Amino acid sequence: MNQLQTLDYIVFFIYFIAVSLYGYYIYHKKKSATTSSKDFFLAEGSLTWWAIGASLIASNISAEHFIGMSGSGFALGLAISSYEWMAAATLILVAVFFIPVYLKNKIFTMPQFLSMRYNDKVSTIMAVFWLLVYVFVNLTSIIYLGALAISSISTISFGWSIFGLVIFSLVVTLGGMKVIGYTDVVQVVVLILGGLVTTYLALTLLSQEYGFGKDIFKGLSILRKEAPEHFHMIFDSSNKYYKELPGLSVLFGGMLVNNLAYWGCNQYIVQRALGADLVTARKGILFAAFLKLLVPVIAVLPGIVMYVLHSKGMFQHEMANAAGTLKPDHAYPTLMNLLPAGLKGIAFAALTAAVVASLAGKANSISTIFSLDIYKKYFNKEASERKMVLTGRWAVVVAMVIAAIVAPALKSLDQAYQFIQEYVGFISPGVLAIFLLGFFWKRATASAAMAGALLTIPLSTVLKFLPVWTNGYFPDFAFLNRMVITFVTIVVVMILMSLINPKKENDTHTIEVDTSMFKITPGFAFGSIIIMGILVALYTVFW
């Protein structure tokens, strides 16, 4: 039945009130005596390690996971989990090699790093790129998928779902990073518990359909038996979904480029750790890595369950669009509609928590980049702290309104998660090349970085569309492989340009990097070994 019951609304209302009141409490308890832009944008020094870790995950997990990743689980299987499981390994690399550089050099935004290391031109170009991607890809896709899910499991229309999500997100975002960071802890608890409840009920439903009662372990064994092709982590070239997840590239190639750019050079991710000391930031990132291991359990498994049930002839109508075409992204909403009253309210709250937390995190980062790297630098260099915070809040409102207007245009998508990954991947190779060379090669020049920034989108576009333009004469590479080709090409171009036209002796653009920054504590090393051990076990079992 496509609607929430009274009990579901009560559960959701309790969640909404709890988050709003907690955010209001945090805002007033930790409010500074004087208005500070760093306090608003970074929550400088006030986030604990568990708040940083929870906020990282809350900002990352959204409707694109619950809806998009479940849809990819339905179509591709467990292999889509590589985005999550390999992210756990990437987070360790970021904590060891990236975060120390940012904190040592007092970096608050990614464009600020580029300005310090290269020049203002590189910084501004990348700031504009980031703002466009954050608004037109990230915010719009999250609002679209969240509204799709809400309208699928309730009587609320798609348009009103968009309106409600934007308003709820604005309530959280306008309080600043402190409110976002601490309310994210509540959001993560809700979304993980709600997600686990949904997965549990999906597996028990499957077990019941096969006559084994409510036994989740039987449900798991049925999945392995009925859909063995959905439990391969590494695809070979004969797999029809090879282009989405091309073999070992999900371990060492494009996936690594994608994850390093996302987790290490991405404002709305890195921002959570920039206001903390190194030990606290690393603890928070390691906590986030552990949480990432859970995501496929709550996002991918439900999609595989729906695939098996659909294969048995169930939910044919629910899994199709108005034209009767199969829509994998309908998997999670269909499953949520099967939940009993009360539990559907918990799942609904979990989904909303994921959407709102992610929207809040991205909107805050949009306001941070716009205020610090565009407004203050080019429009009002003497802006007061109060004016900066006000500008940041207006940037949040404008970005949300634009994304809400654009979001309905995404209705034609089949697998939204893959769309997001592919088009964010147009900018990721150039970003990673610029940052890595900026970190670890002192000779990298501003003109080389400028070339990298300007090449990444055109080169990615050519690699994507040249096979069509040449009627198949040019190889049609998988998008993860295109990211590797683009990344390597840009690195080579940047190195050659830096060697041919080296930095001038009076060039003062530099950052401080020394090997002592990369030392880790025994506790961090132990946690990292556990995470890597789990990953090795998972890929060994599901290879």
Side-chain angles (χ1 to χ4, degrees):
M1 190 171 175
N2 265 18
Q3 64 181 35
L4 300 174
Q5 306 299 310
T6 302
L7 184 58
D8 298 318
Y9 284 112
I10 292 172
V11 170
F12 178 78
F13 185 71
I14 291 171
Y15 151 72
F16 176 81
I17 294 298
V19 171
S20 300
L21 289 178
Y22 184 58
Y24 184 79
Y25 165 75
I26 290 294
Y27 178 73
H28 283 278
K29 181 184 177 183
K30 296 183 176 291
K31 189 176 181 181
S32 302
T34 57
T35 302
S36 166
S37 58
K38 289 179 184 176
D39 189 63
F40 178 78
F41 295 121
L42 298 175
E44 195 166 25
S46 66
L47 293 184
T48 59
W49 65 266
W50 45 268
I52 291 171
S55 193
L56 277 168
I57 296 303
S59 184
N60 168 242
I61 298 176
S62 185
E64 66 195 67
H65 288 77
F66 281 104
I67 308 303
M69 190 166 266
S70 283
S72 292
F74 182 99
L76 281 69
L78 193 64
I80 198 68
S81 302
S82 282
Y83 279 103
E84 306 306 304
W85 287 340
M86 293 313 297
T90 305
L91 277 165
I92 294 171
L93 295 176
V94 169
V96 175
F97 297 109
F98 286 46
I99 294 299
V101 178
Y102 294 139
L103 296 182
K104 182 75 171 179
N105 292 278
K106 295 181 171 58
I107 300 298
F108 303 125
T109 71
M110 299 300 96
Q112 181 200 348
F113 167 81
L114 296 177
S115 179
M116 184 182 293
R117 176 60 183 83
Y118 295 112
N119 62 26
D120 284 346
K121 288 183 180 179
V122 175
S123 170
T124 302
I125 285 176
M126 293 308 298
V128 172
F129 279 174
W130 272 311
L131 289 175
L132 291 174
V133 170
Y134 288 172
V135 174
F136 290 101
V137 177
N138 295 120
L139 281 187
T140 52
S141 61
I142 294 166
I143 290 173
Y144 161 71
L145 287 169
L148 173 68
I150 290 170
S151 60
S152 298
I153 64 173
S154 71
T155 55
I156 304 171
S157 70
F158 181 78
W160 280 109
S161 297
I162 288 178
F163 179 78
L165 286 174
V166 169
I167 295 300
F168 193 177
S169 302
L170 286 175
V171 169
V172 175
T173 311
L174 295 179
M177 181 53 76
K178 284 180 186 174
V179 174
I180 294 170
Y182 282 100
T183 54
D184 277 354
V185 176
V186 179
Q187 310 270 46
V188 162
V189 171
V190 172
L191 73 87
I192 288 179
L193 288 179
L196 289 174
V197 165
T198 306
T199 300
Y200 171 80
L201 290 168
L203 291 171
T204 56
L205 172 66
L206 184 66
S207 180
Q208 284 179 301
E209 284 296 321
Y210 280 79
F212 294 107
K214 295 183 177 181
D215 188 333
I216 61 168
F217 296 105
K218 283 291 184 183
L220 286 169
S221 66
I222 290 167
L223 283 184
R224 292 292 303 273
K225 180 182 177 183
E226 296 295 322
E229 73 285 355
H230 274 54
F231 285 87
H232 296 160
M233 290 301 299
I234 306 298
F235 291 165
D236 61 32
S237 57
S238 65
N239 191 296
K240 66 178 180 178
Y241 292 112
Y242 179 79
K243 282 190 65 179
E244 278 78 9
L245 296 166
L248 291 176
S249 191
V250 301
L251 297 180
F252 310 113
M255 188 72 77
L256 186 60
V257 173
N258 179 75
N259 279 337
L260 281 173
Y262 180 88
W263 293 102
C265 316
N266 191 336
Q267 182 67 32
Y268 66 78
I269 293 299
V270 178
Q271 187 165 336
R272 273 103 188 104
L274 295 183
D277 62 84
L278 181 58
V279 173
T280 303
R282 277 180 169 165
K283 283 182 181 177
I285 293 171
L286 195 63
F287 178 47
F290 275 107
L291 292 177
K292 286 300 279 183
L293 298 178
L294 276 177
V295 175
V297 176
I298 64 177
V300 180
L301 279 183
I304 302 176
V305 170
M306 285 306 301
Y307 170 79
V308 173
L309 293 175
H310 184 266
S311 298
K312 284 193 69 181
M314 301 171 65
F315 310 114
Q316 301 296 308
H317 175 72
E318 290 83 353
M319 287 300 301
N321 61 14
T325 305
L326 177 65
K327 293 284 286 185
D329 281 349
H330 285 189
Y332 203 85
T334 300
L335 183 59
M336 287 180 68
N337 280 322
L338 303 176
L339 301 180
L343 288 178
K344 187 189 285 189
I346 294 174
F348 184 54
L351 180 66
T352 307
V355 176
V356 169
S358 198
L359 285 175
K362 289 171 177 63
N364 181 268
S365 294
I366 288 168
S367 73
T368 303
I369 290 177
F370 178 79
S371 302
L372 300 181
D373 298 299
I374 303 292
Y375 177 77
K376 188 174 178 66
K377 188 179 288 186
Y378 295 105
F379 295 98
N380 190 353
K381 293 182 180 180
E382 305 302 320
S384 65
E385 293 291 287
R386 184 180 182 83
K387 183 69 173 176
M388 290 292 291
V389 172
L390 183 63
T391 301
R393 286 180 169 141
W394 273 111
V396 167
V397 174
V398 171
M400 285 284 196
V401 170
I402 292 172
I405 293 171
V406 175
L410 302 185
K411 282 188 174 181
S412 61
L413 295 180
D414 182 28
Q415 290 182 53
Y417 189 78
Q418 292 294 85
F419 159 81
I420 295 164
Q421 298 303 327
E422 178 164 5
Y423 284 95
V424 170
F426 273 47
I427 190 174
S428 297
V431 169
L432 184 61
I434 292 167
F435 272 74
L436 285 182
L437 290 178
F439 284 152
F440 305 117
W441 196 46
K442 291 182 178 181
R443 297 174 67 181
T445 64
S447 58
M450 179 72 77
L454 295 176
L455 272 175
T456 182
I457 293 178
L459 189 53
S460 298
T461 303
V462 167
L463 287 172
K464 177 175 174 60
F465 294 107
L466 203 56
V468 178
W469 298 336
T470 61
N471 291 319
Y473 285 106
F474 189 83
D476 186 9
F477 295 108
F479 83 89
L480 284 176
N481 290 340
R482 292 202 304 267
M483 288 176 70
V484 176
I485 295 169
T486 303
F487 172 72
V488 172
T489 302
I490 291 174
V491 167
V492 170
V493 168
M494 287 184 65
I495 290 173
L496 289 175
M497 287 184 66
S498 299
L499 292 175
I500 293 170
N501 188 17
K503 291 174 70 173
K504 294 179 173 59
E505 291 185 7
N506 62 350
D507 191 335
T508 58
H509 292 90
T510 185
I511 57 169
E512 190 176 344
V513 180
D514 63 74
T515 54
S516 65
M517 297 160 53
F518 307 129
K519 292 179 181 177
I520 58 176
T521 63
F524 183 89
F526 181 69
S528 301
I529 290 170
I530 291 176
I531 289 173
M532 295 307 296
I534 292 171
L535 290 175
V536 169
L538 286 169
Y539 277 90
T540 300
V541 171
F542 297 116
W543 188 269

